[in-house]
Amino acid sequence: MTVMGVSRFERFFRAAASLDVDKNDLKRYSDFVDGKLYDLLLVAQAAAKANDRDIVELWDLPITKGLQESMHRFRRLDEEVELKPILEQLATHPLLDRAPSEETEARYPEIIGGLSLALAETFKIMYPDVKNPQTKHWEGATAIFDLLL
């Protein structure tokens, strides 16, 4: 990620949850984003397969009400932070048995943005006094997402 990308990443977490993250957190964040997008696509692929389709459509993704609300909040916050262009670079998907539609792929940055906002808010809920998340905080927050997504 470029220096400008790191700066936006840091600004996003500050604006979203008053957290100070740094470039060392980028690897954890990238792993989180990759893992959760993969999990969502894996379930979506199963839905497409069950409906005899070769393409994963947007409605196949298991977007919960909470994630959808986080995506909406991310859109508003992103007007200030402008993280979406960086998320477009992160929004890659693994090879699956079913290819995603163009509409589905186009929504990846918003989905990742919603996940990112929910992650930042999860840090504040689980660890209200934390300003700079450490490994144990990342592991705890990630465990919650692994449990629910």
Side-chain angles (χ1 to χ4, degrees):
M1 189 178 288
T2 65
V3 173
M4 178 66 109
V6 172
S7 171
R8 286 184 186 172
F9 166 75
E10 292 170 343
R11 198 167 70 204
F12 169 77
F13 275 89
R14 239 185 332 273
S18 301
L19 294 171
D20 293 323
V21 295
D22 54 37
K23 64 181 181 180
N24 295 326
D25 291 313
L26 281 176
K27 173 71 171 123
R28 292 182 192 121
Y29 172 71
S30 180
D31 289 347
F32 170 81
V33 165
D34 288 345
K36 293 303 110 198
L37 184 59
Y38 177 77
D39 291 347
L40 291 170
L41 287 169
L42 203 58
V43 172
Q45 176 182 265
K49 185 176 183 177
N51 288 297
D52 278 337
R53 282 185 278 103
D54 292 333
I55 294 181
V56 172
E57 296 292 350
L58 188 56
W59 58 82
D60 291 322
L61 291 165
I63 305 293
T64 63
K65 177 182 175 280
L67 179 53
Q68 189 172 42
E69 290 171 356
S70 292
M71 290 165 61
H72 291 302
R73 288 193 312 276
F74 168 76
R75 282 187 212 112
R76 288 190 298 273
L77 181 63
D78 193 48
E79 291 175 11
E80 171 190 334
V81 181
E82 297 178 353
L83 190 65
K84 191 174 178 182
I86 285 132
L87 297 182
E88 288 172 350
Q89 296 172 9
L90 292 175
T92 59
H93 61 84
L95 293 177
L96 300 169
D97 293 341
R98 306 281 192 274
S101 69
E102 287 181 23
E103 179 186 7
T104 302
E105 283 186 324
R107 295 293 295 273
Y108 288 175
E110 287 180 11
I111 293 166
I112 292 171
L115 288 167
S116 300
L117 186 60
L119 173 66
E121 292 171 345
T122 299
F123 281 125
K124 290 315 274 184
I125 291 168
M126 292 179 68
Y127 314 104
D129 298 329
V130 165
K131 293 292 181 199
N132 184 352
Q134 301 300 306
T135 301
K136 68 179 182 176
H137 304 119
W138 280 93
E139 289 172 351
T142 301
I144 296 298
F145 280 84
D146 288 344
L147 183 66
L148 297 173
L149 290 183

